[in-house]
Amino acid sequence: MNKVLEANVDTVTGAYRSLGGWVEKPTDLQPALEGDISADVVVVGAGFAGLSTALELAAGGAEVVVLERDFAGFGASGRNAGYLGGSLGIEFEFFHKRVGHEKARQIVSFYDEGVTYVERRLAELGIDCDYNASGNIRVGVHPSQEKKVRKAMQLGLELGSKTQFLDRAEMRARGIPPAFLFGYAQQHGGTLDPGKYVMGLRRAALDAGVKLYENTPLLSYSEGSIVKCVTERGSVSAPYLVLATNAYTPQLGLLRDKVVPLRVSAIETDPLSAAQLDTLGWPGREGLITAHWTMESHRLTARNTLLVTTKRLDYAYGSQTPNVPDAAAYGALAGALNERFPTLRGLGIRACWSGYVSMAYDALPVVGETGAQQNILHTAGCSGHGVATQSLMGLLLAERIRGSEHPLLSALRHKTPSTLPEPLQWCAVKSALAMTNMLDDRINRKVRKRA
């Protein structure tokens, strides 16, 4: 399936994978739920958040059932770029004035604590996911971006995000590829294989006695002191329900007025030869996140491929999440790969894929309870930062179910802006995406003129 980057968009799309690029269907696929059962807690969604919640609850002796529509890791957890990033990539200005300085500091702490949590859990659970504790860098590709980069960094420092500005000399001293001119680095965190991570959580959950039912979509649930979840061939009843379904939550009838599912895409090259790796330099393999309005992210994987993600977002009318290719996004990503890494022109595409993140209008997590008994918990609004945050959310939700509230969960409680009804939302989101694309294209034209 080797495809050259300079081929047309249809050729690039020929490498499309409907499962994403990191996972395959498990050989020990767990059977679908049949019959009526009960548990202490039922979790819907077997990604980072759902499996982490189940593991934390099981460690405390709870009987936990996890329902997964496809298989563990099929959704965003198995499709993302694999950045274990803290507060580096979040847009502080989106929420700083809205929630106030002190709460904003606590929210920044939540993002950074997520990195520490995942690092600890990788060791505790014995998960080998090719973690490279390289740190990550938010980078500029044109001199006109420096003011924006420095302003974002300064606000982050005021809110407790620990970063360091790198000028051109320092970037070159690190061996960062020359297309990336300057940036600010966060030394903790790094990159990992999200497929190996989520499958490691799956294995740990099964070993801990969590009952995982795959190929088991939730059809409906009923509120009450005991929540009943109905599936195609059975049901499970429990005092608590956790909806760890992120971008898919609006389709379950919840959070449609709070989060917007956005389609994110990725391309991964064929493995680089030793000579090609030498042309890049990049010895630390730091994750690179550009300062575009819609970022590009660039990273090397443990299998010596180059992964480029995001660049173009899309929204489907009615908050739907069709699992379909996005040819325009793959073409834009291939173009970015050519421009940032000219020594790799002609390199083949191993895979391209798309998936969904959920985003609130203030770009903050949406977590809370619903139902008359307040025993239906939900987490969404990862905004593309799910590896650390949604993993840590498992601990926060487990403690809430056990009767206490972690300070970081309290920090996340705020009034989320309401989304628009259709067709206004479709018009607003599409217009906003078109505007950011136009601004980013302007920057990229400036970069090409300097080349």
Side-chain angles (χ1 to χ4, degrees), residues 315 423-438:
Y315 171 73
L424 294 179
Q425 177 154 287
W426 186 88
C427 294
V429 174
K430 286 288 195 177
S431 297
L433 294 178
M435 177 62 69
T436 58
N437 290 343
M438 183 185 72

Side-chain angles (χ1 to χ4, degrees), residues 37 82 142 155 162 171 174 205 237 245 255 268 285 294 314 318 329 336 356 363 385:
I37 62 173
H142 188 268
L155 181 54
K162 295 179 175 61
M171 292 282 279
R174 282 181 175 234
S237 300
T245 42
L255 302 185
E268 183 183 7
R285 300 190 173 211
T294 301
D314 202 5
Y356 290 86
H385 304 288

Side-chain angles (χ1 to χ4, degrees), residues 65-371:
V65 165
V66 177
L67 305 179
E68 167 54 46
R69 184 179 68 179
D70 294 283
F71 60 81
F74 178 85
S77 296
R79 296 168 188 261
N80 68 76
Y83 287 76
L84 183 60
S87 56
L88 176 79
I90 62 175
E91 304 293 345
F92 307 110
E93 61 273 17
F94 272 35
F95 62 85
H96 174 232
K97 291 182 179 179
R98 179 179 178 83
V99 303
H101 189 81
E102 184 53 38
K103 183 176 277 288
R105 284 184 62 88
Q106 294 170 336
I107 290 171
V108 167
S109 295
F110 162 75
Y111 280 90
D112 288 332
E113 179 59 31
V115 174
T116 302
Y117 176 81
V118 172
E119 289 178 334
R120 184 175 72 249
R121 293 300 274 166
L122 293 180
E124 291 172 347
L125 300 174
I127 298 175
D128 180 2
C129 57
D130 301 325
Y131 178 47
N132 176 29
S134 59
N136 298 298
I137 310 174
R138 191 171 193 183
V139 297
V141 298
H142 188 268
S144 62
Q145 293 178 308
E146 184 169 350
K147 182 178 179 180
K148 175 183 176 182
V149 167
R150 286 186 178 274
K151 183 179 179 180
M153 176 183 169
Q154 182 57 42
L155 181 54
L157 289 172
E158 293 172 8
L159 297 177
S161 180
K162 295 179 175 61
T163 56
Q164 171 192 1
F165 188 81
L166 304 175
D167 61 20
R168 296 191 188 202
E170 290 166 313
M171 292 282 279
R172 301 293 78 79
R174 282 181 175 234
I176 303 300
F180 308 103
L181 306 180
F182 50 81
Y184 61 94
Q186 192 163 46
Q187 293 306 120
H188 77 310
T191 60
L192 49 73
D193 183 320
K196 290 183 179 180
Y197 174 41
V198 73
M199 288 303 172
L201 292 175
R202 178 183 183 274
R203 173 191 53 77
L206 292 173
D207 290 346
V210 172
K211 296 178 181 177
L212 171 63
Y213 295 95
E214 295 174 307
N215 285 330
T216 304
L218 174 67
L219 300 184
S220 65
Y221 62 88
S222 57
E223 299 180 6
S225 58
I226 299 295
V227 182
K228 183 175 182 179
C229 297
V230 178
T231 67
E232 291 175 340
R233 297 195 296 274
S235 69
V236 54
S237 300
Y240 287 95
L241 166 63
V242 176
L243 294 174
T245 42
N246 203 23
Y248 305 102
T249 309
Q251 296 170 34
L252 298 175
L254 187 66
L255 302 185
R256 186 180 291 272
D257 63 337
K258 298 299 180 186
V259 297
V260 178
L262 294 176
R263 184 160 66 229
V264 181
S265 298
I267 62 172
E268 183 183 7
T269 70
D270 286 336
L272 278 64
S273 67
Q276 288 170 323
L277 287 169
D278 285 344
T279 68
L280 294 184
W282 208 351
R285 300 190 173 211
E286 299 92 339
L288 305 178
I289 302 164
T290 71
H292 290 88
W293 290 100
T294 301
M295 70 175 189
E296 300 167 13
S297 75
H298 302 267
R299 59 160 292 201
L300 287 167
T301 71
R303 52 198 181 212
N304 288 333
T305 60
L306 187 57
L307 185 75
V308 186
T309 63
T310 312
K311 185 66 176 174
R312 287 288 189 269
L313 302 173
D314 202 5
Y315 171 73
Y317 187 92
S319 293
Q320 295 301 303
T321 56
N323 189 27
V324 296
D326 190 333
Y330 307 143
L333 289 166
L337 184 54
N338 271 333
E339 291 186 4
R340 310 297 172 231
F341 305 95
T343 64
L344 301 183
R345 288 180 182 271
L347 181 63
I349 293 289
R350 173 183 181 271
C352 57
W353 64 89
S354 299
Y356 290 86
V357 300
S358 66
M359 185 171 181
Y361 282 0
D362 60 5
L364 289 177
V366 180
V367 58
E369 305 86 12
T370 189

